[in-house]
Amino acid sequence: GLGLHTAYKAARKTIKEIMLETKDQVDTETKEIFKTWIDNQDNSEITLKVQSELKRKKIREDLKDLLDYIPSRKVWIVGGDGWAYDIGFGGLDHVLRTNENIKVLVLDTEVYSNTGGQTSKSTRVGAVAEFSSTGKLKPKKDLFQIAINIPNVYVASVSAGASREQTIKSFKEAN
C-alpha cells in the first residue's frame, strides 16, 4: 500500500512539473485547467472534472499518459490481524510513522483465520482457540495503543456487526 501511494505521488509530481513546464505552450483554457488542478490537487470532485476536461484537450503525450493519476485518490491498506499484529507489523509500524495520508483497515478476528483459528498475537487473554484450549495465557498485542501514540494517526475500533452506523462513521472520519 505504501508503494502504491508513493508511486501515485510520484506520478502526480510529474504531472505538476509537466503542467508548469508547458503552461505557456497551451491555449488559455487549458492553462486555466492546469491552474485549477494545481490549486486543488486533493479535491476529488474538482480533479475528476479536470481529468475529464483534459481528455478533450491537445496536451503533451507524456501528460496524456498520466491522465489516470489526475483524480485525487485515497489509498486504503486492508489486512487481517495476522498481518497487522505479526508478520507485517514492522511494515505497518513504518507506514503509520511516515505521516503519509494512507488509510489502514485491520480486520481483527482475534485468531489466525487462515490457519483454522489458531491463537494469535491478537487473541485476548483467556480466549479459547486452536492450541489454547485452556485459554490463552499472554495478553493481546495492543495495536490500538501503539497506533494512538503516533502523531497524525486517526484510530477507531468498531464492531461492524454491532453497529453499522458507527462503522460507517469511522470510515468517513478516517477518509
Side-chain angles (χ1 to χ4, degrees), residues 23-81:
K23 68 180 182 343
D24 295 327
Q25 302 164 7
V26 295
D27 62 64
T28 307
E29 187 179 345
T30 304
K31 185 176 185 174
E32 195 57 40
I33 295 169
F34 286 0
K35 182 178 179 345
T36 299
W37 185 82
I38 290 169
D39 293 344
N40 299 281
Q41 290 179 54
D42 295 328
N43 184 311
S44 56
E45 285 183 34
I46 292 174
T47 55
L48 195 58
K49 185 179 176 192
V50 165
Q51 180 194 37
S52 177
E53 291 172 354
L54 285 178
K55 283 180 179 179
R56 294 175 281 150
K57 293 291 181 183
K58 186 174 165 105
I59 54 175
R60 247 175 43 183
E61 202 59 39
D62 53 352
L63 182 56
K64 274 190 188 213
D65 292 341
L66 294 169
L67 284 178
D68 286 342
Y69 297 94
I70 294 279
S72 177
R73 295 193 177 113
K74 304 275 192 285
V75 173
W76 279 81
I77 301 171
V78 180
D81 48 358

Side-chain angles (χ1 to χ4, degrees), residues 12 33 56 80 114 145:
R12 296 186 103 221
I33 295 169
R56 294 175 281 150
N114 285 345
Q145 197 59 249

Side-chain angles (χ1 to χ4, degrees), residues 1-8 74-78 83 91 95 100-104:
L2 180 59
L4 290 170
H5 175 73
T6 302
Y8 176 68
K74 304 275 192 285
V75 173
W76 279 81
I77 301 171
V78 180
W83 159 77
V95 168
E100 291 291 338
N101 191 7
I102 299 173
K103 317 305 174 199
V104 178

